[in-house]
Amino acid sequence: MRGAWKRWVGGVVVAVTAATATACGGAHGSSGAPEPTRTAVPGPSASKAGTNQDVAHWAPQVVAYTKKAGVEPRLLMAILYNESYKPHDPELERAWQRLKPDSAFGIANMHKAAFDEAKTGRAFADRDWQDLPDDPELAIEAAAWHLHDLAGQLPASWTGEYTKDELLALGYNAGAGNMLAFSRGAKPGTQAQSYLDRLHQNWDKAGEAVGRKG
């Protein structure tokens, strides 16, 4: 998908301009619902997130929401680094979604089905998937709980060669079914292996961002 984004950014600027004019009337998605009580952690604005791809700015939110969800903050931060190949600008994301309706939204690149599952029974249950491009904090919160839910599907032990964090990253990228197959010894395909390789490449700087060492 990395190559697709490069081709799109270079070749569909006119479409983005037209889509921007259409989108100006509803910058915060279609839900219209008030935002529920959130973790009071200062962070950059959504507009700043769109122009600055260094996801380390969101480390306080990553730490806060992974603590609530009971997952490793370094894992989510590394996933955010994995997903930062894509220009996370609300107008660009919505323009791309008009061209590719099944695309993912937000700095954590979540698909609608994953977001809708993660929000069920949670503090952000009244939020909409289309809020994600404008609300990086919501994207982080949803991704943390999605990882929590994936962890709940793992068996107590597994025969595969992967650590828990590696399996969760693979599940985030390839889905729960594939994650369980990998836990039973199946080998990832090219795309999933590339995702895991990039996770390893991003592991050290993810640890530095959230205060984890070693």
Side-chain angles (χ1 to χ4, degrees):
M1 191 170 177
R2 183 192 301 266
W5 264 99
K6 288 182 179 178
R7 291 193 298 272
W8 175 72
V9 172
V12 198
V13 175
V14 173
V16 173
T17 302
T20 299
T22 303
C24 286
H28 292 282
S30 61
S31 68
E35 185 173 346
T37 302
R38 307 287 291 284
T39 301
V41 181
S45 65
S47 60
K48 182 176 180 181
T51 57
N52 191 332
Q53 291 292 96
D54 185 1
V55 294
H57 284 94
W58 296 102
Q61 285 77 11
V62 168
V63 171
Y65 285 116
T66 53
K67 182 177 181 180
K68 287 186 175 183
V71 295
E72 172 57 51
R74 189 176 197 170
L75 171 62
L76 179 51
M77 181 59 71
I79 287 174
L80 293 183
Y81 273 118
N82 269 29
E83 304 295 350
S84 65
Y85 68 88
K86 173 179 165 183
H88 295 301
D89 175 89
E91 292 175 357
L92 291 178
E93 288 195 43
R94 289 198 169 90
W96 177 245
Q97 195 266 342
R98 289 185 180 92
L99 298 174
K100 188 177 180 183
D102 65 343
S103 60
F105 267 166
I107 63 171
N109 278 350
M110 288 193 76
H111 289 279
K112 187 177 187 303
F115 177 81
D116 288 345
E117 289 178 5
K119 77 175 186 177
T120 302
R122 306 252 158 79
F124 57 103
D126 60 347
R127 301 299 299 276
D128 191 274
W129 172 70
Q130 294 191 46
D131 294 340
L132 291 178
D134 303 286
D135 194 341
E137 185 173 343
L138 174 64
I140 291 167
E141 183 177 18
W145 285 108
H146 181 44
L147 289 169
H148 167 92
D149 294 343
L150 286 171
Q153 298 180 57
L154 283 173
S157 60
W158 50 86
T159 58
E161 62 187 78
Y162 301 107
T163 67
K164 179 180 179 180
D165 285 340
E166 288 173 330
L167 285 172
L168 292 179
L170 287 167
Y172 193 93
N173 175 249
N178 284 316
M179 175 187 74
L180 293 176
F182 301 145
S183 75
R184 294 190 294 267
K187 297 298 182 182
T190 302
Q191 181 176 335
Q193 185 60 56
S194 174
Y195 195 86
L196 190 59
D197 291 343
R198 285 187 284 123
L199 187 88
H200 293 155
Q201 292 166 9
N202 290 324
W203 198 248
D204 286 346
K205 63 181 178 181
E208 291 175 4
V210 298
R212 295 285 198 272
K213 297 181 179 180

